[in-house]
Amino acid sequence: MAVSNFIQTIWSKKIQDDLELKCKLVDNCLRDYEGDCKFARSVKILGVGEPTITAYNSATPLSYEAMSDKGQVLDIDQQYSFSFLVDDIDKAQSVPGLAEKYQEKAVHGLAVKRDAYIATLIKGVTKNVTTASALTREAVKDAIDAAIVALRERNFDEEGVIEITPAVYNLFKNELITLSTDNPEYIKKGIVGVYDDFKVIMSNGLAKDSTYAYCDVRGKKAIAFAGQINEVEAGRHQDYFADYVRGLDTFGAKVIDEARIQVVKIPVKAS
């Protein structure tokens, strides 16, 4: 029997919405450029240069400069798929909560891939880096403090976040102001407290190597992200007595303003 009542748009929207909730690092990116995120397409991020500020003299005519185009291109160059078998997709859709259970596994895997890509971009920032001297509470606090100061000295003036690994959180947690409410949405987003007016996000998706964990302090305008569930479809599998569901996620991300991010390298091992 062929699949007859698969509701593609509902599955696509549900997976997309759940991804928005699951992704921690992506959530702290600029999302103004979603558009039509087909693979191998690109999105133009608009930007202009800063005008020159000069002393004014009423006896001297003003000179006018052409504003430079600081636009950047965000390539949609990442794509990941999921596919699984369901005994009867029409029946699964009719049982309350069952379709969501099937989608949860796919959403988790896609969220990991999205956040992992953002983590590689954070690790790749080499211009603005603070390195903790040791894996201790004092050294971690000193490094995060220095990163915040470095951001503010670059005229950082937006809402920001501190993104740390579970191991770093374990050392740093006593420095945090506890959130005033046990907001479940905050918990889902990994928000574990506030430090110096920055929300603190704990994520296991941040990049690590044998020497450092690559944490960061940043604002949303540091990294741009655009992503979309492009395809979700179902059919009868030709080799199994079951229906298949498969989907495709495409996205791209780019560091568009390094002045708005300070990477904090934390040793992964005690000295």
Side-chain angles (χ1 to χ4, degrees), residues 25-39:
L25 304 183
V26 168
D27 188 51
N28 300 311
C29 296
L30 187 64
R31 304 290 297 273
D32 294 352
Y33 305 98
E34 299 285 5
D36 185 11
C37 297
K38 297 291 186 182
F39 183 69

Side-chain angles (χ1 to χ4, degrees), residues 61-124:
L62 290 175
S63 59
Y64 295 87
E65 60 183 328
M67 293 296 287
S68 58
D69 181 2
K70 295 290 186 179
Q72 301 182 57
V73 174
L74 171 60
D75 292 322
I76 310 302
D77 56 2
Q78 303 295 304
Q79 58 178 349
Y80 291 94
S81 65
F82 62 86
S83 54
F84 53 85
L85 296 175
V86 181
D87 287 341
D88 186 333
I89 190 61
D90 290 341
K91 183 178 180 180
Q93 290 180 146
S94 68
V95 177
L98 187 56
E100 286 77 9
K101 291 294 183 184
Y102 280 116
Q103 293 170 34
E104 280 178 9
K105 298 297 184 181
V107 167
H108 174 75
L110 294 176
V112 168
K113 292 297 185 183
R114 285 185 170 196
D115 271 0
Y117 190 67
I118 300 300
T120 63
L121 297 180
I122 293 169
K123 181 182 178 182

